[in-house]
Amino acid sequence: METITDKALGEARSIIEAARDDEEKRPTIAGFFDEATNTVSYVVHDAATGKAAIIDSVLDYDAASGRTATRSAGLVADYVEKKGLEVEWVMETHAHADHISAAPWLQGKLGGKLAIGKDIIRVQDVFGKIFNAGTDFERDGSQFDHLFVDGERFRIGNLEAIALHVPGHTPADMAYVIGDTAFVGDTIFMPDFGTARTDFPGGSANELYRSIRRLLDLPRETRIFLCHDYKAPGRDDYAWETTVGQQRDENVHVRDGVTEEEFVEMRTTRDKNLAMPELIMPSVQVNIRGGRLPDPEDNGVSYIKIPINTL
């Protein structure tokens, strides 16, 4: 993708460069690691106004019992309340397949608009059929308050931000550039671990390569915050912050010099040997509904469907 013709990327670069020149344009960030799902949730706020966004929250779910809990999301809520922040956005980078979103619970406690990328409608269409969701399940993104499009500018208080569409892992993945930082969801992991899988319905290794190279055309100093970490072999501690420069120099899958053909061959071969995420059935089923459980049946209980021999 040529930077000179990528207007959205050019605007993202301008936001980052302006923030690097002015500390007041940089966000304050708190990460909350959920070891059960290897997921990092973030509270991102503007120090000057106290306005905040929550990104990629986690609802605890015990697969054996079917019980949910709010321990992980409660830590996020406690932080927001202790800091006296006002939540403007409750954001998802995509419809996660490895954890259930706590967005509706957090929104109920703290407010804010529930947002995701507009191509969630493609994910809803595909998985609505897989789960035989029926005609009552709207496949238009209406479960969310806002659907971001590529290049859409927004604010968190006084902080400048922009949404970038980065498909490949799923069709709907979005990265959010906020000040001098980028929250990239599952597109890329720590340099020693590599990149996200692309074998889910609607995924594409070619698209993921191009999305990652797009992100890596941001300034080298850009701080990248990841949605997951799995501790690559030889590393003892979890980590979820890196930079564009580190990724370009060191990422084991997609550093500078790796061609699209080489990446696609590696990613496709690797994905064939990966098991489905343990919580994919409940996660996708709930997350395409904006984090809401399926409607209760006539006995007042919600049920998770498990399609047999389908995924």
Side-chain angles (χ1 to χ4, degrees):
M1 184 174 298
E2 293 293 328
T3 306
I4 194 169
T5 62
D6 192 335
K7 182 175 182 291
L9 190 66
E11 292 186 18
R13 291 179 66 95
S14 295
I15 290 171
I16 292 165
E17 289 164 356
R20 288 190 57 76
D21 290 338
D22 185 349
E23 187 174 355
E24 292 185 357
K25 295 181 179 180
R26 302 174 201 165
T28 300
I29 299 164
F32 300 84
F33 185 70
D34 179 67
E35 190 166 359
T37 62
N38 295 93
T39 303
V40 194
S41 305
Y42 297 98
V43 177
V44 185
H45 82 268
D46 172 24
T49 64
K51 301 295 178 64
I54 298 170
I55 302 176
D56 290 337
S57 60
V58 175
L59 183 72
D60 305 303
Y61 178 75
D62 180 70
S65 66
R67 292 190 177 276
T68 63
T70 56
R71 179 200 57 80
S72 182
L75 296 175
V76 172
D78 289 347
Y79 175 86
V80 168
E81 292 170 344
K82 182 178 180 180
K83 293 288 186 180
L85 304 179
E86 180 182 347
V87 174
E88 294 189 316
W89 297 99
V90 182
M91 304 163 69
E92 303 288 353
T93 54
H94 63 295
H96 308 274
D98 42 26
H99 71 270
I100 296 174
S101 170
W105 184 82
L106 286 165
Q107 186 181 40
K109 285 183 67 68
L110 303 171
K113 291 182 179 180
L114 177 54
I116 200 168
K118 75 174 184 63
D119 282 310
I120 187 62
I121 61 176
R122 292 177 57 192
V123 179
Q124 289 176 329
D125 184 56
V126 169
F127 280 98
K129 294 172 183 174
I130 289 174
F131 291 114
N132 197 28
T135 57
D136 290 340
F137 173 56
E138 299 291 343
R139 296 161 169 83
D140 58 3
S142 58
Q143 299 85 351
F144 300 84
D145 300 314
H146 186 81
L147 301 180
F148 281 109
V149 299
D150 184 54
E152 182 175 350
R153 301 284 291 263
F154 64 103
R155 286 179 174 269
I156 302 168
N158 294 331
L159 300 176
E160 293 280 355
I162 191 168
L164 298 177
H165 186 212
V166 286
H169 174 60
T170 81
D173 282 63
M174 300 296 287
Y176 302 110
V177 171
I178 304 169
D180 65 334
T181 66
F183 296 83
V184 300
D186 287 12
T187 56
I188 200 166
F189 299 136
M190 290 299 290
D192 57 0
F193 199 86
T195 57
R197 64 193 300 164
T198 60
D199 59 329
F200 296 149
S204 165
N206 293 94
E207 282 192 331
L208 182 62
Y209 179 87
R210 295 167 195 165
S211 293
I212 292 171
R213 295 311 308 181
R214 186 189 196 199
L215 290 172
L216 297 188
D217 205 18
L218 294 170
R220 286 181 62 90
E221 301 81 10
T222 305
R223 294 187 293 160
I224 292 178
F225 289 87
L226 313 175
C227 188
H228 297 287
D229 187 51
Y230 302 95
K231 284 199 297 190
R235 177 156 52 86
D236 295 329
D237 299 318
Y238 291 110
W240 48 82
E241 180 179 353
T242 178
T243 66
V244 166
Q246 288 171 341
Q247 295 286 1
R248 292 186 62 167
D249 294 341
E250 303 172 17
N251 189 282
V252 294
H253 292 169
V254 72
R255 63 189 175 275
D256 286 356
V258 176
T259 67
E260 181 172 342
E261 182 180 11
E262 290 169 336
F263 175 80
V264 170
E265 181 179 1
M266 177 281 301
R267 190 70 265 172
T268 303
T269 301
R270 185 181 177 91
D271 289 348
K272 288 178 181 178
N273 297 313
L274 295 178
M276 284 289 112
E278 181 180 349
L279 296 183
I280 187 171
M281 296 299 182
S283 295
V284 174
Q285 215 162 149
V286 173
N287 293 338
I288 60 175
R289 293 176 164 86
R292 298 172 184 87
L293 297 174
D295 291 337
E297 298 192 8
D298 55 11
N299 62 353
V301 177
S302 293
Y303 290 86
I304 297 294
K305 292 181 177 179
I306 300 180
I308 304 300
N309 299 324
T310 301
L311 291 179

